Amino acid sequence: MSYKFEAGKDLIIQEVVDKLREKMSGEQGSFCAEFVRQFYGTVALEDLGEWDIDDLYGAAINFWALIQQRAPRETKIRIYNPDFERHGWQTTHTVVEVITEDMPFLVDSLRMTINRLGLVSHLVIHMGGFSVRRDKQHHVTEVLPRGSEKAKGLSIEAPIFIEIDRQTDPAILEELHRSIERVLEDNRAVVEDWPFMREKVRDAIEELSEASEIIDANEVDEAKEFLRWIEDDHFTFLGIRDYDLVHKGNETILQPIAPTGLGILRAQMSKSNARSISAMTPEARELTLSNRALVMFKTTTEATVHRAAYPDYIGVKRFNKQGQVVGERRIIGLYTSAAYNTNPKHIPFLRHKVALIMKNSMLNPRGHAGKVLLNIIETLPRDDLI
């Protein structure tokens, strides 16, 4: 069955290549033919079989026209309704084409954007690891086989083709274009700043070591263990920024330090409004100003990158020599699947919550009721525990 499946795909793709070779000769014909093989090679036979050869050919050469020239770091987006007379192919859907550097989270982030606008994705073709050489004018001069990413002097790109519900309202199409631009900018910022954000977390661990003589040493040790845990692939870092606690008149505010923003909290991408401590609820104000090393909340805005969820906010406090809070490092992100699959008894902070709950229950942990309670705790969503 596997052989017949691949053979069926190969026959369809070869028909498209043959048609392309009739229309396009020379180097560009060869480059485009290799693109077609890789492009449709990622598509299921059932999906390919629903298209006419003319439409497969038309979709490919239209996309190739977008891909053929691209400057470094440039992201190109085209959204259009294919019409046979204008584009040489047709479909009942609206088409979204993207070409950018290959990086994590792209497809998930695009799907989230499309879904948030109430639209449905019908076909997604993602060519991660598309390896090309480009000349000084940024034209394609070579398309390499898949698996060539480690060769020198290559541009490793990600052509993405998505069919969505057909849209004809120019306002909706413009909003979709703007939304895709914005989310791809966020995605790039997160990926580019990823190593710097992890370094900031490691710096915070070192800075907390200096606070162990000022605030409770056990609190500091547990905070450091938790930060090490999230840095060890248990947290997808979306943004980090430092804040100073300042007093202005009768107000106490957390003032963002603009140059420290990373990821989605880069100064040019994020509102850097100060947060008034005085305007918080008494409980939140007390927690923010307390000598607790960490504060953790859920944010109120859904993530634009990676996963449709409300990110977690982890605040790592900074203290003066008197043990007073003078600022914080704010970390925004999403817990990874590894975090959600980790037993809470092995997660810093949570392990103490679990122990305290079991102690306060006064149940024998080896008895039936104690085991039932422990099972409930261990299977609760981690968000509810954290």
Side-chain angles (χ1 to χ4, degrees):
M1 289 297 292
S2 175
Y3 170 78
K4 291 181 180 179
F5 176 86
E6 293 301 328
K9 278 180 61 172
D10 289 345
L11 289 173
I12 293 173
I13 293 170
Q14 189 57 49
E15 281 193 65
V16 179
V17 170
D18 291 343
K19 185 174 182 64
L20 183 151
R21 285 306 214 164
E22 293 173 6
K23 308 275 186 178
M24 190 183 301
S25 60
E27 284 188 333
Q28 283 301 310
S30 298
F31 301 154
C32 190
E34 179 59 26
F35 162 72
V36 165
R37 292 188 186 97
Q38 294 187 35
F39 181 56
Y40 288 129
T42 63
V43 183
L45 174 61
E46 290 81 358
D47 290 324
L48 286 179
E50 291 181 1
W51 290 35
D52 293 335
I53 296 299
D54 285 347
D55 291 333
L56 290 170
Y57 163 77
I61 62 167
N62 273 274
F63 199 5
W64 176 253
L66 186 72
I67 292 168
Q68 202 272 331
Q69 183 180 31
R70 189 188 76 87
R73 294 180 58 82
E74 181 182 11
T75 294
K76 299 178 75 173
I77 304 165
R78 178 168 61 182
I79 303 173
Y80 72 112
N81 292 315
D83 174 82
F84 195 82
E85 304 232 340
R86 292 178 57 201
H87 306 105
W89 76 289
Q90 59 191 359
T91 177
T92 57
H93 300 120
T94 291
V95 169
V96 177
E97 296 173 342
V98 172
I99 176 69
T100 188
E101 285 101 341
D102 192 21
M103 64 186 79
F105 312 138
L106 287 172
V107 173
D108 291 339
S109 299
L110 287 171
R111 278 177 166 155
M112 283 162 47
T113 303
I114 291 166
N115 292 343
R116 283 197 181 108
L117 293 175
L119 306 175
V120 176
S121 304
H122 296 277
L123 174 67
V124 179
I125 305 176
H126 172 224
M127 292 176 63
F130 182 58
S131 305
V132 298
R133 296 189 196 276
R134 295 183 180 272
D135 61 22
K136 292 181 179 179
Q137 288 72 45
H138 316 306
H139 291 93
V140 173
T141 60
E142 187 178 3
V143 178
L144 283 83
R146 294 189 69 83
S148 304
E149 294 92 336
K150 293 184 179 180
K152 293 182 179 179
L154 298 183
S155 178
I156 311 302
E157 304 179 5
I160 303 171
F161 176 101
I162 305 176
E163 283 194 323
I164 64 171
D165 293 335
R166 191 173 185 87
Q167 304 299 315
T168 56
D169 186 335
I172 293 176
L173 293 172
E174 180 60 30
E175 182 183 5
L176 177 60
H177 196 285
R178 283 197 308 270
S179 297
I180 289 175
E181 277 186 325
R182 187 167 58 250
V183 78
L184 290 176
E185 184 181 1
D186 286 354
N187 202 105
R188 180 189 294 276
V190 167
V191 173
E192 287 183 346
D193 289 351
W194 188 288
F196 306 112
M197 290 190 279
R198 295 186 70 173
E199 185 62 33
K200 285 279 192 179
V201 174
R202 291 191 285 267
D203 289 345
I205 294 170
E206 292 302 314
E207 291 166 12
L208 277 175
S209 296
E210 300 173 8
S212 59
E213 297 179 3
I214 304 167
I215 62 174
D216 182 78
N218 292 328
E219 170 87 8
V220 170
D221 288 343
E222 196 67 6
K224 289 165 61 179
E225 283 299 312
F226 183 77
L227 293 176
R228 290 190 187 100
W229 181 77
I230 65 169
E231 197 271 337
D232 186 27
D233 296 324
H234 290 108
F235 200 71
T236 300
F237 298 101
L238 300 181
I240 288 182
R241 186 162 57 201
D242 289 348
Y243 290 74
D244 280 334
L245 192 67
V246 299
H247 303 281
K248 291 186 177 181
N250 295 323
E251 264 205 307
T252 303
I253 62 174
L254 275 172
Q255 181 71 49
I257 306 171
T260 64
L262 294 171
I264 61 171
L265 296 181
R266 285 179 179 179
Q268 69 272 28
M269 297 175 60
S270 169
K271 293 180 181 179
S272 56
N273 297 334
R275 185 182 180 194
S276 173
I277 304 297
S278 307
M280 292 180 181
T281 64
E283 294 82 4
R285 184 165 59 248
E286 181 182 357
L287 183 59
T288 300
L289 298 176
S290 73
N291 61 359
R292 291 276 301 276
L294 299 184
V295 290
M296 290 178 271
F297 299 104
K298 277 286 183 185
T299 65
T300 57
T301 304
E302 271 196 315
T304 57
V305 176
H306 182 38
R307 195 168 76 236
Y310 290 96
D312 287 87
Y313 149 50
I314 302 167
V316 187
K317 295 181 187 175
R318 289 185 285 113
F319 302 90
N320 62 16
K321 292 181 179 180
Q322 289 72 46
Q324 298 169 319
V325 180
V326 294
E328 75 172 37
R329 176 161 294 163
R330 182 168 300 175
I331 305 167
I332 304 294
L334 300 164
Y335 290 101
T336 63
S337 58
Y340 286 109
N341 290 324
T342 300
N343 190 308
K345 292 191 297 184
H346 302 145
I347 300 175
F349 279 122
L350 288 196
R351 58 194 178 193
H352 292 298
K353 286 187 179 181
V354 172
L356 184 61
I357 292 170
M358 293 304 298
K359 179 181 178 182
N360 291 341
S361 74
M362 294 185 290
L363 296 173
N364 181 350
R366 296 183 180 179
H368 175 73
K371 289 180 178 178
V372 169
L373 176 59
L374 187 58
N375 178 258
I376 291 171
I377 294 170
E378 291 176 352
T379 56
L380 268 175
R382 298 298 177 264
D383 290 343
D384 292 344
L385 288 171
I386 295 173

